[in-house]
Amino acid sequence: TPGEHIRSVRKRLGLTLAQVGERTGLAVSTLSKLEKGNVSLSYDKLMLLSRGLNVDMAELLGQSASA
Protein backbone atom coordinates (compact mmCIF):
# COMPACT_ATOMS: atom_id res chain seq x y z
CA THR A 1 0.00 0.00 0.00
CA PRO A 2 1.16 3.61 -0.39
CA GLY A 3 1.33 3.95 3.39
CA GLU A 4 3.68 0.99 3.66
CA HIS A 5 5.93 2.49 1.00
CA ILE A 6 5.96 5.85 2.77
CA ARG A 7 6.90 4.17 6.06
CA SER A 8 9.62 2.18 4.33
CA VAL A 9 11.15 5.32 2.79
CA ARG A 10 10.94 7.19 6.11
CA LYS A 11 12.66 4.37 7.98
CA ARG A 12 15.31 3.98 5.27
CA LEU A 13 16.10 7.67 5.73
CA GLY A 14 16.26 7.18 9.51
CA LEU A 15 13.52 9.72 10.23
CA THR A 16 10.86 9.78 12.92
CA LEU A 17 7.28 10.84 12.23
CA ALA A 18 8.02 14.08 14.10
CA GLN A 19 11.00 14.81 11.84
CA VAL A 20 8.92 14.16 8.73
CA GLY A 21 6.24 16.43 10.16
CA GLU A 22 8.77 19.22 10.59
CA ARG A 23 9.97 18.79 7.00
CA THR A 24 6.50 18.60 5.46
CA GLY A 25 4.24 20.65 7.69
CA LEU A 26 1.97 17.63 8.15
CA ALA A 27 0.82 16.68 11.64
CA VAL A 28 2.33 13.57 13.19
CA SER A 29 -1.18 12.16 13.61
CA THR A 30 -1.86 12.65 9.89
CA LEU A 31 1.42 10.98 8.96
CA SER A 32 0.68 8.05 11.22
CA LYS A 33 -2.78 7.64 9.69
CA LEU A 34 -1.29 7.83 6.18
CA GLU A 35 1.23 5.10 6.97
CA LYS A 36 -1.48 2.89 8.46
CA GLY A 37 -3.82 3.49 5.52
CA ASN A 38 -6.46 5.11 7.74
CA VAL A 39 -6.62 8.28 5.66
CA SER A 40 -6.48 8.82 1.91
CA LEU A 41 -3.26 10.03 0.34
CA SER A 42 -4.12 13.17 -1.60
CA TYR A 43 -1.93 14.59 -4.33
CA ASP A 44 -1.12 17.58 -2.12
CA LYS A 45 0.05 15.37 0.76
CA LEU A 46 2.04 13.21 -1.63
CA MET A 47 3.75 16.31 -3.03
CA LEU A 48 4.58 17.59 0.48
CA LEU A 49 6.04 14.20 1.41
CA SER A 50 8.02 13.99 -1.80
CA ARG A 51 9.55 17.42 -1.27
CA GLY A 52 10.10 16.97 2.46
CA LEU A 53 11.81 13.60 2.06
CA ASN A 54 13.58 14.61 -1.16
CA VAL A 55 12.35 11.54 -3.06
CA ASP A 56 10.28 11.05 -6.20
CA MET A 57 6.54 10.66 -5.79
CA ALA A 58 6.83 7.35 -7.64
CA GLU A 59 9.18 6.02 -4.95
CA LEU A 60 6.64 6.90 -2.25
CA LEU A 61 4.05 4.90 -4.18
CA GLY A 62 6.41 1.94 -4.61
CA GLN A 63 6.88 2.48 -8.32
CA SER A 64 10.08 2.77 -10.30
CA ALA A 65 11.01 6.42 -10.86
CA SER A 66 12.47 5.50 -14.25
CA ALA A 67 9.19 4.16 -15.67
Side-chain angles (χ1 to χ4, degrees), residues 25-58:
L26 295 170
V28 171
S29 60
T30 299
L31 292 166
S32 178
K33 290 175 186 176
L34 282 170
E35 287 189 356
K36 293 176 182 174
N38 295 336
V39 69
S40 297
L41 180 62
S42 68
Y43 178 80
D44 290 341
K45 288 176 187 157
L46 182 60
M47 187 171 59
L48 287 171
L49 285 165
S50 175
R51 288 180 180 168
L53 298 175
N54 197 30
V55 297
D56 290 331
M57 286 187 200

Side-chain angles (χ1 to χ4, degrees), residues 9-20 23 52-53:
V9 170
R10 175 178 65 80
K11 289 190 173 196
R12 181 174 48 85
L13 295 173
L15 298 172
T16 65
L17 286 172
Q19 290 169 319
V20 175
R23 290 177 175 213
L53 298 175

